[in-house]
Amino acid sequence: MIEGQYTREEILSQPEAWMKAIDVLKRNIETIEGFSTLNHHQQVLFTGCGSTYHLARAGAIVFQELTGTPANGLPASEIWQSSAGSFLPSEAQVLIAISRSGETTETLQACEKIRHNPKARIMTLVCVPDSRLAKMGDVNLEFPSGAEKSIAQTRAFTTLYLGVVGMSAIAARKSAILEGLRMLPRPARLMLDGEQERAALHGGNLVIDRIYFLGSGGRFGLACELSLKMKEMSLTHSEAFHFMEFRHGPKAMVNDSTIVVGLVSESNKKQELAVLNEVGELGAEIITIGENNTDVSFNSGVEEVLRNILYLPFGQMMAFERSIAKGLDPDHPIHLDAVVKLTQ
Ligand code: F1P
């Protein structure tokens, strides 16, 4: 078997997986609408672990933006072990639990914790049908097209993220957003086919020893996810920051063996590019990803809340290429298991 064969196939097949996820959403419109009217939505918590925790953070922002309901994203372990700081038990809670496997102990425990409140409601999003988590929700959405053989999440992350965007659009009764999801696979396909060389060029530059991902708003969780990809697949020091935070300390780490990848927005483009120019002058190699006039451009024509998913494929490819260039196997990151199951 070729090294990284599973991961490569999973990265490249994302657009097709998204199309199938849209069908799942369409089949569940009434169920999701019912779920979102059955409570007061005083507290909406999104949760997961590792990749799905980053998804929870990014997803909570999308949900809040689209529905106008306050939402937050927390690691499942915090909801389980530090519940007092995570939620107010007296309120009607909604927990949106996300997991590729549906078997991660902390995520199952977070649901158990919330279930003690009779006013609580749970929704789960998983890639493995009939997993334990997929039986714990009042509503369980299954996205098998995202399921993966490799350890680091790529297709699962984006498919579940699309699930969260679509679910939020349905809860907000914004059918145009739901319809707009269909416009995403095409620019994703073009990017996956057209940007491999650039991903290999930058990812494969082994003079580089630190890689930072900058993203603000709903893109911060996505920047965290790309940074995690870089660690898991290529064992490279990597961190994620909000754009404007980078000046407040992290900038000290920049030298000429640094890459800074900017997930550039349309709304704050000027200020975000100013940060990137500044670190570029300190010697960092800069890569900009965005809708247009960036190194990697989507040219998708869709609105910001929808196109955020398009920031992911290039960073995933870069992590993959770096792993290969370092002689590692992206399918089998060292020290990691696909699911963390705790025995005590
Ligand atoms: C979450 C997760 C992965 C990570 C690692 C262990 O699993 O933390 O994101 O890459 O391999 O598991 P899940 O709950 O989404 O299945």
Side-chain angles (χ1 to χ4, degrees):
M1 206 184 114
I2 308 161
E3 306 262 284
Q5 187 178 319
Y6 290 142
T7 310
R8 183 191 296 277
E9 192 271 320
E10 286 156 6
I11 291 174
L12 293 178
S13 61
Q14 289 178 100
E16 292 74 33
W18 300 353
M19 289 307 285
K20 291 185 180 145
I22 295 168
D23 294 339
V24 172
L25 288 163
K26 293 240 156 161
R27 283 200 298 275
N28 283 282
I29 290 179
E30 279 178 27
T31 317
I32 296 168
E33 283 180 352
F35 178 87
S36 53
T37 48
L38 268 171
N39 54 68
H40 303 298
H41 273 187
Q42 281 162 304
Q43 268 196 331
V44 180
L45 283 181
F46 283 74
T47 199
C49 295
S51 287
T52 40
Y53 159 52
H54 299 316
L55 205 169
R57 292 191 71 163
I61 291 180
V62 172
F63 185 86
Q64 181 168 308
E65 273 180 16
L66 288 178
T67 63
T69 305
N72 197 8
L74 288 176
S77 55
E78 291 294 295
I79 296 175
W80 171 29
Q81 295 176 340
S82 306
S83 54
S86 304
F87 61 88
L88 300 171
S90 58
E91 292 192 351
Q93 292 138 9
V94 174
L95 183 71
I96 315 276
I98 310 162
S99 171
R100 171 177 66 178
S101 63
E103 300 290 346
T104 297
T105 304
E106 290 131 281
T107 310
L108 297 171
Q109 288 294 342
C111 291
E112 288 292 350
K113 195 91 195 183
I114 293 269
R115 269 213 300 211
H116 292 305
N117 178 354
K119 287 194 274 178
R121 305 260 297 135
I122 298 174
M123 178 186 283
T124 70
L125 289 90
V126 299
C127 291
V128 179
D130 296 326
S131 53
R132 286 176 69 195
L133 191 68
K135 297 186 177 82
M136 290 188 86
D138 301 285
V139 168
N140 300 296
L141 301 177
E142 295 171 345
F143 298 93
S145 62
E148 292 172 319
K149 292 201 174 85
S150 55
I151 287 178
Q153 299 194 14
T154 53
R155 182 174 69 194
F157 184 94
T158 57
T159 304
L160 289 166
Y161 178 78
L162 185 137
V164 168
V165 176
M167 178 277 288
S168 304
I170 295 168
R173 309 292 197 273
K174 293 192 169 152
S175 53
I177 302 277
L178 188 64
E179 288 309 317
L181 291 174
R182 292 204 181 277
M183 291 174 71
L184 294 169
R186 196 180 125 77
R189 175 85 279 140
L190 291 173
M191 224 180 350
L192 286 163
D193 295 343
E195 294 292 349
Q196 283 191 23
E197 214 172 295
R198 194 196 306 270
L201 181 77
H202 291 290
N205 180 357
L206 300 185
V207 170
I208 298 297
D209 66 5
R210 61 199 73 185
I211 303 184
Y212 300 110
F213 291 88
L214 306 191
S216 294
R219 288 161 299 282
F220 177 65
L222 308 184
C224 292
E225 166 61 8
L226 290 179
S227 170
L228 182 66
K229 288 308 86 157
M230 210 41 99
K231 291 189 192 94
E232 289 180 324
M233 282 194 228
S234 81
L235 308 182
T236 303
H237 168 78
S238 179
E239 285 187 88
F241 297 95
H242 299 90
F243 267 97
M244 306 300 273
E245 276 298 301
F246 202 67
R247 289 196 181 98
H248 297 273
K251 199 175 102 173
M253 291 295 293
V254 172
N255 59 20
D256 52 14
S257 50
T258 307
I259 291 182
V260 180
V261 181
L263 280 57
V264 177
S265 68
E266 284 301 289
S267 34
N268 298 311
K269 195 169 192 173
K270 200 170 157 212
Q271 285 169 322
E272 292 173 351
L273 290 179
V275 174
L276 294 173
N277 287 337
E278 213 171 300
V279 291
E281 279 166 22
L282 298 175
E285 198 173 305
I286 305 295
I287 305 169
T288 54
I289 310 177
E291 175 63 6
N292 48 43
N293 300 319
T294 42
D295 298 318
V296 178
S297 297
F298 319 138
N299 297 306
S300 68
V302 300
E303 56 185 293
E304 199 157 274
V305 69
L306 278 171
R307 69 168 173 260
N308 279 345
I309 196 171
L310 298 172
Y311 289 92
L312 290 153
F314 180 76
Q316 295 168 341
M317 285 197 287
M318 238 181 101
F320 176 89
E321 294 295 347
R322 187 165 180 83
S323 179
I324 297 288
K326 286 179 88 169
L328 301 167
D329 180 358
D331 287 351
H332 300 106
I334 59 160
H335 308 319
L336 298 180
D337 295 314
V339 190
V340 177
K341 289 186 188 176
L342 305 179
T343 48
Q344 51 185 349

